[in-house]
């Protein structure tokens, strides 16, 4: 039942091996500030370390756009998303790489944890045409996208079709 995964934090806690290093605020509008600190409000690009308080899911622009649109149209909580040189980055709770048994992130996805990443300055948007900019920071203060729903959307939009057989296979 989908309603049992009401928030990304709740979804992440149900995933095997999940541990959260920092408690998230009761008010979800403070989530991004709690996790990213001053980097969330910085007017300039800021380098932060993924892996302790958040991880990132990186995917090419087209499947990223399709996944974000799909999730938003279905009312599934989406957090902040930024673009860096054509790749979209979705914030997910730490240890979201650990999915339920029998599932893995699609091959077209790069899961980022334990490395420094640069996030855009707070006012840098698509219209600026900068190589590093925010796709969305709405709703205000929400940082995380629910990882299991993001996985499902990306799996659908990055799937490679079966190759046609040539008739020579036995």
């Amino acid at each position: 039942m989908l309603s049992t995964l009401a928030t990304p934090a709740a979804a992440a806690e149900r995933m095997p091996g999940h541990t959260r290093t920092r408690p998230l605020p009761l008010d979800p509008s403070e989530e991004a500030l709690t996790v990213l600190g001053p980097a969330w409000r910085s007017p300039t690009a800021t380098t932060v370390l993924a892996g302790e308080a958040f991880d990132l899911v990186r995917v090419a622009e087209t499947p990223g756009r399709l996944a974000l649109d799909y999730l938003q149209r279905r009312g599934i909580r989406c957090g902040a998303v930024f673009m860096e040189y054509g790749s979209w980055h979705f914030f997910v709770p730490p240890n979201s790489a650990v999915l339920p048994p029998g599932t893995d992130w699609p091959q077209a996805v790069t899961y980022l944890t334990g490395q420094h990443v640069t996030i855009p300055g707070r006012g840098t948007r698509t219209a600026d045409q900068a190589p590093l900019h925010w796709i969305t920071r709405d709703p205000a203060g929400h940082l995380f996208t629910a990882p299991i729903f993001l996985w499902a959307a990306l799996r659908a939009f990055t799937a490679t079709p079966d190759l046609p057989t040539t008739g020579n296979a036995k």
Side-chain angles (χ1 to χ4, degrees), residues 20-78:
R20 190 170 57 209
T21 56
R22 294 185 197 176
L24 292 176
L26 294 177
D27 180 359
S29 69
E30 294 294 317
E31 183 177 80
L33 186 58
T34 300
V35 172
L36 293 175
W40 179 248
R41 291 188 175 157
S42 175
T44 59
T46 306
T47 301
V48 293
L49 178 63
E52 186 174 314
F54 70 93
D55 288 341
L56 290 168
V57 171
R58 181 174 63 201
V59 67
E61 179 179 2
T62 299
R65 183 180 309 279
L66 292 169
L68 181 63
D69 182 57
Y70 176 86
L71 296 172
Q72 288 175 333
R73 282 185 290 127
R74 280 153 184 78
I76 297 169
R77 180 178 165 188
C78 296

Side-chain angles (χ1 to χ4, degrees), residues 3-132:
S3 63
T4 60
L5 299 176
T7 66
E13 292 212 8
R14 290 186 175 105
M15 292 182 182
H18 174 75
T19 57
R20 190 170 57 209
T21 56
R22 294 185 197 176
L24 292 176
L26 294 177
D27 180 359
S29 69
E30 294 294 317
E31 183 177 80
L33 186 58
T34 300
V35 172
L36 293 175
W40 179 248
R41 291 188 175 157
S42 175
T44 59
T46 306
T47 301
V48 293
L49 178 63
E52 186 174 314
F54 70 93
D55 288 341
L56 290 168
V57 171
R58 181 174 63 201
V59 67
E61 179 179 2
T62 299
R65 183 180 309 279
L66 292 169
L68 181 63
D69 182 57
Y70 176 86
L71 296 172
Q72 288 175 333
R73 282 185 290 127
R74 280 153 184 78
I76 297 169
R77 180 178 165 188
C78 296
V81 179
F82 69 92
M83 177 188 271
E84 181 180 34
Y85 293 101
S87 293
W88 282 34
H89 296 73
F90 292 81
F91 287 87
V92 293
N95 298 316
S96 294
V98 180
L99 295 169
T103 57
D104 290 317
W105 287 98
Q107 285 186 334
V109 168
T110 302
Y111 191 88
L112 302 171
T113 188
Q115 62 196 65
H116 286 89
V117 295
T118 303
I119 62 171
R122 76 167 175 256
T124 311
R125 301 282 195 240
T126 305
D128 299 334
Q129 297 183 351
L132 178 66

